[in-house]
């Protein structure tokens, strides 16, 4: 990096980091105030909530970092524009694109670091936070983490009333079919996962064969399923909170059982393209400084940049799911809003007043 590259990059990166800290403090404070209503549940107190909030901060960082890039980009480049530094840079032959690329040289590694935090740190910390909350709220007893799951395993349908924080299952029912014919119904009081097999306890089983009904009562019964505790947890989570590895594993599991996987594929592609979406946020910020909006005041630029970023967010949140409704492939549905706003940002950057 040259001297000018470093100068531009540091100005933008500093603004982005300051906005990130501001958003973390603001959102963290709002979250903490909201969670104070939990005080008194079991062993939950003020000290616990402070630690609980600390476990949530990485997730807040990942969620709001694209907004920080947008606002930080508007502020950082806007301050340089107000002091005529951008005009000087362009007068010595550095193009608008070159200035934006200079800003990206330091910012893009930070984007990748935040992406890595979202993949490697956030899921584990959020799961640990949820387990700690359940543990303290139940006065130290093993607590229920998910409620009411149904899944399909080949020609069998399995319902789980409760899954526990130690990955055991409670109140399980299984319906086995041969084509359209019901051949067996099994009910288990509990189940635990050992060496790749679910061991069910206190099983009541009814077998239907050639017009006869045979009831059985078993102390234990082994169920060999493709399902494992990690996949059980995925069933009880929002797909947004899953890692790329978890999504790929679960997509494979769904497709092996002949089930629809487009929703999870869409979330997988959204995660893979999230660094590109953050870069688009910076380009949208730059477009408010270099493009037709450059004559506006700093406050107006921030509002305009926020409006553009919010429009991009809405397009990602609602446009991609609509693509599934109309049969558009998940890859196209995930990438299309990003490409549209990328084209818009490039157009605004090149527009002349």
């Amino acid at each position: 990096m040259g001297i000018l590259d470093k100068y531009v990059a540091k100005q933008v990166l500093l603004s982005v980091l300051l906005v990130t800290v501001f958003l973390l403090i603001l959102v963290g404070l709002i979250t903490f105030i909201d969670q104070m209503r939990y005080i008194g549940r079991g062993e939950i107190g003020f000290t616990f909530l402070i630690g609980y909030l600390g476990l949530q901060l990485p997730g807040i960082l990942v969620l709001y970092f694209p907004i920080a890039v947008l606002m930080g980009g508007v502020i950082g480049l806007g301050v340089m524009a107000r002091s005529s530094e951008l005009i000087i840079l362009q007068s010595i032959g550095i193009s608008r694109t070159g200035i934006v690329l200079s800003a990206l040289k330091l910012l893009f590694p930070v984007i990748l670091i935040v992406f890595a935090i979202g993949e490697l740190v956030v899921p584990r910390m959020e799961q640990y936070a949820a387990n700690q909350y359940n543990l303290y709220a139940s006065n130290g007893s093993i607590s229920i983490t998910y409620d009411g799951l149904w899944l399909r395993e080949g020609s069998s349908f399995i319902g789980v009333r409760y899954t526990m924080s130690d990955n055991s299952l409670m109140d399980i029912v299984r319906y086995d079919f041969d084509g359209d014919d019901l051949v067996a119904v099994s009910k288990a009081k509990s189940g635990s996962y050992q060496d790749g097999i679910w061991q069910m306890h206190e099983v009541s089983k009814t077998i239907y064969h050639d017009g006869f009904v045979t009831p059985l009562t078993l102390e234990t019964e082994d169920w060999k399923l493709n399902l494992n505790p990690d996949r059980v947890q995925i069933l009880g989570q929002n797909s947004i909170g899953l890692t790329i590895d978890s999504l790929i594993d679960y997509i494979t599991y769904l497709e092996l059982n002949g089930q629809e996987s487009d929703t999870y594929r869409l979330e997988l592609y959204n995660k893979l393209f999230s660094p590109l979406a953050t870069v688009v946020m910076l380009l949208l910020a730059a477009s408010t400084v270099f493009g037709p909006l450059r004559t506006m005041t700093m406050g107006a630029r921030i509002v305009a940049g926020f409006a553009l970023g919010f429009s991009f967010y809405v397009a990602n949140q609602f446009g991609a799911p609509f693509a599934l409704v109309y049969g558009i492939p998940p890859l196209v549905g995930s990438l299309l809003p990003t490409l549209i706003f990328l084209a818009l940002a490039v157009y605004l950057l090149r527009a002349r007043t």
Side-chain angles (χ1 to χ4, degrees):
M1 294 177 63
I3 295 176
L4 295 178
D5 285 333
K6 290 181 181 178
Y7 179 76
V8 173
K10 286 180 180 179
Q11 294 297 316
V12 174
L13 181 60
L14 180 61
S15 296
V16 170
L17 293 179
L18 288 175
V19 173
T20 301
V21 172
F22 171 77
L23 289 176
L24 279 175
I25 294 174
L26 177 63
V27 177
L29 182 61
I30 294 172
T31 303
F32 183 78
I33 293 173
D34 176 67
Q35 291 174 347
M36 287 184 68
R37 57 194 169 92
Y38 298 148
I39 292 178
R41 293 186 183 180
E43 299 178 357
I44 293 178
F46 187 82
T47 304
F48 169 80
L49 287 183
I50 293 177
Y52 185 57
L53 176 63
L55 294 172
Q56 294 175 304
L57 285 179
I60 295 173
L61 168 66
V62 173
L63 180 62
Y64 287 93
F65 185 70
I67 298 175
V69 170
L70 176 70
M71 296 179 64
V74 172
I75 294 171
L77 292 174
V79 169
M80 295 181 68
R82 188 172 59 182
S83 61
S84 301
E85 290 175 316
L86 295 183
I87 295 176
I88 295 173
L89 290 174
Q90 292 180 79
S91 68
I92 61 176
I94 301 178
S95 65
R96 299 175 180 183
T97 303
I99 293 173
V100 175
L101 289 176
S102 295
L104 273 174
K105 287 181 180 179
L106 276 183
L107 187 58
F108 192 70
V110 178
I111 292 173
L112 294 181
I113 291 172
V114 173
F115 175 77
I117 291 173
E119 285 300 301
L120 303 176
V121 177
V122 172
R124 292 174 174 82
M125 293 193 73
E126 289 188 344
Q127 182 61 44
Y128 180 73
N131 288 339
Q132 289 295 107
Y133 172 80
N134 289 326
L135 191 64
Y136 275 74
S138 61
N139 291 310
S141 61
I142 295 177
S143 56
I144 298 168
T145 54
Y146 306 117
D147 184 7
L149 306 175
W150 280 95
L151 56 110
R152 176 184 173 186
E153 281 270 348
S155 59
S156 300
F157 293 86
I158 301 170
V160 179
R161 181 72 179 276
Y162 303 116
T163 63
M164 311 298 283
S165 57
D166 62 352
N167 292 324
S168 63
L169 309 178
M170 300 292 291
D171 293 345
I172 310 105
V173 60
R174 175 175 178 173
Y175 298 93
D176 295 317
F177 287 85
D178 183 7
D180 294 330
D181 298 325
L182 179 65
V183 295
V185 177
S186 303
K187 295 182 179 180
K189 186 174 181 180
S190 63
S192 57
Y193 190 75
Q194 298 177 0
D195 301 323
I197 295 175
W198 287 99
Q199 187 175 78
M200 300 298 169
H201 308 279
E202 299 183 43
V203 181
S204 298
K205 189 170 187 177
T206 303
I207 300 174
Y208 303 91
H209 181 67
D210 292 336
F212 294 95
V213 178
T214 305
L216 296 174
T217 300
L218 305 171
E219 185 176 344
T220 63
E221 184 180 33
D222 292 340
W223 293 4
K224 190 172 183 180
L225 306 172
N226 291 323
L227 190 70
N228 56 40
D230 291 337
R231 290 169 178 170
V232 170
Q233 289 187 8
I234 289 174
L235 284 167
Q237 292 184 39
N238 188 316
S239 61
I240 296 175
L242 301 177
T243 64
I244 289 175
D245 286 344
S246 296
L247 284 168
I248 292 174
D249 177 72
Y250 193 60
I251 288 168
T252 303
Y253 170 73
L254 289 174
E255 292 179 348
L256 285 174
N257 287 280
Q259 299 182 58
E260 181 63 46
S261 64
D262 282 355
T263 300
Y264 290 92
R265 281 191 173 276
L266 182 62
E267 186 57 40
L268 172 63
Y269 296 136
N270 284 341
K271 284 184 174 291
L272 290 173
F273 296 135
S274 61
L276 175 60
T278 306
V279 171
V280 172
M281 284 291 196
L282 179 63
L283 294 176
L284 291 173
S287 70
T288 67
V289 176
F290 292 110
L293 305 178
R294 66 183 182 183
T295 57
M296 299 170 65
T297 64
M298 177 65 74
R301 285 177 185 170
I302 292 176
V303 172
F306 186 80
L308 286 171
F310 182 74
S311 300
F312 181 33
Y313 173 81
V314 170
N316 269 323
Q317 293 298 310
F318 296 100
F322 271 117
L324 295 182
V325 174
Y326 291 101
I328 299 174
L331 177 61
V332 176
S334 174
L335 194 55
L336 188 59
T338 301
L339 294 179
I340 290 174
F341 276 84
L342 175 60
L344 175 62
V346 172
Y347 168 77
L348 292 175
L349 279 172
R350 293 183 175 181
R352 301 282 179 177
T353 56

